[in-house]
């Protein structure tokens, strides 16, 4: 279990604490725990920035470990390994219906260990969304906002998630020197995205990051 104070550090670059690591089959579908109810199938591809050259380009994060983060009744994050990506970074995970969850794909690039993450609102049968640096910055921003009690996990709905993701993509596009592999750069991006969107309550204003 991860308490609120530890969530930002976990998703920002340190490996998620793994509980109950089991033998997993590459590319398989797996079911994550939850609060009960219908299942949502989450389908996507994890894409990491190029380590040589332009980080605006992405490469699949193949053979990575997929970790599900979800909130318990006390507002703490529970983490569990729920699958792996295939050689092309693709994953399929079944998640029980709840307000919001995060998926974190842990893998290795030429620059060492990396985590690509994203937020999902599992309230429909199927959700298709790829994970990349922008969804990762948005994920850290959203979980950080819940972690410091700026918002609740129930407030981290689809609209907030979209505002955070759009702002993160705009921030990265406006800052060509942004280095996803530099924790200080990621922290600055998260702070800027949170501020510009009021923790996802509204879209970032035009030119907010220029």
């Amino acid at each position: 279990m991860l308490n609120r104070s530890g969530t930002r550090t976990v998703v920002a670059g340190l490996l998620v604490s793994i509980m109950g690591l089991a033998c997993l089959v590459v590319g398989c579908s797996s079911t994550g725990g939850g609060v009960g109810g219908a299942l949502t199938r989450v389908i996507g591809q994890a894409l990491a920035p190029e380590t040589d050259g332009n980080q605006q380009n992405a490469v699949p994060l193949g053979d990575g470990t997929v970790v599900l983060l979800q909130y318990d009744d006390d507002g703490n994050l529970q983490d569990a390994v729920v699958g792996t990506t295939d050689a092309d970074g693709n994953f399929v995970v079944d998640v029980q219906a709840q307000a919001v969850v995060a998926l974190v794909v842990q893998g290795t690039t030429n620059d060492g260990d990396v985590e690509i993450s994203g937020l999902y609102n599992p309230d429909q049968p199927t959700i298709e969304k790829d994970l990349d640096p922008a969804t990762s910055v948005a994920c850290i921003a959203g979980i950080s906002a819940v972690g410091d009690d700026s918002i609740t996990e129930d407030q981290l709905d689809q609209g907030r998630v979209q505002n955070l993701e759009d702002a993160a993509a705009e921030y990265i596009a406006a800052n060509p020197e942004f280095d996803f592999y530099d924790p200080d750069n990621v922290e600055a991006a998260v702070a800027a995205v949170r501020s510009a969107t009021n923790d996802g309550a509204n879209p970032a204003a035009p030119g907010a990051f220029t």
Side-chain angles (χ1 to χ4, degrees):
M1 181 177 69
L2 305 171
N3 62 32
R4 288 180 183 269
S5 64
T7 57
R8 181 169 183 168
T9 301
V10 168
V11 187
L14 298 178
L15 294 178
V16 176
S17 172
I18 303 304
M19 301 182 301
L21 182 61
C23 294
L24 300 167
V25 179
V26 171
C28 72
S29 170
S30 183
T31 301
V35 295
L39 290 177
T40 292
R41 173 152 292 186
V42 177
I43 302 170
Q45 183 183 30
L47 300 166
E50 274 189 356
T51 56
D52 300 323
N54 186 1
Q55 284 198 13
Q56 301 280 349
N57 298 325
V59 294
L61 193 59
D63 302 321
T65 300
V66 182
V67 179
L68 172 69
L69 301 180
Q70 58 189 350
Y71 292 96
D72 65 14
D73 292 339
D74 297 321
N76 296 314
L77 277 178
Q78 303 285 337
D79 59 292
V81 173
V82 292
T84 57
T85 62
D86 66 15
D88 295 319
N90 298 305
F91 59 86
V92 179
V93 176
D94 290 334
V95 181
Q96 295 203 356
Q98 53 203 289
V100 64
V101 300
L103 288 180
V104 183
V105 177
Q106 303 169 338
T108 303
T109 69
N110 292 338
D111 277 3
D113 294 334
V114 64
E115 292 181 353
I116 297 293
S117 60
L119 296 166
Y120 294 87
N121 303 102
D123 58 358
Q124 52 189 303
T126 304
I127 299 176
E128 296 189 31
K129 182 169 74 177
D130 295 338
L131 304 181
D132 58 22
T135 65
S136 301
V137 169
C139 182
I140 300 167
I143 289 180
S144 297
V146 175
D148 63 20
D149 295 321
S150 295
I151 62 173
T152 68
E153 56 264 31
D154 289 333
Q155 290 177 302
L156 195 52
D157 58 17
Q158 186 174 356
R160 281 186 186 265
V161 171
Q162 190 64 61
N163 287 338
L164 291 170
E165 290 180 348
D166 289 346
E170 292 167 13
Y171 179 91
I172 293 172
N175 291 272
E177 300 303 316
F178 172 74
D179 183 358
F180 184 73
Y181 296 100
D182 183 336
D184 290 338
N185 276 211
V186 174
E187 184 175 359
V190 168
V193 166
R194 289 189 60 182
S195 176
T197 64
N198 190 21
D199 289 327
N202 49 260
F209 307 117
T210 58

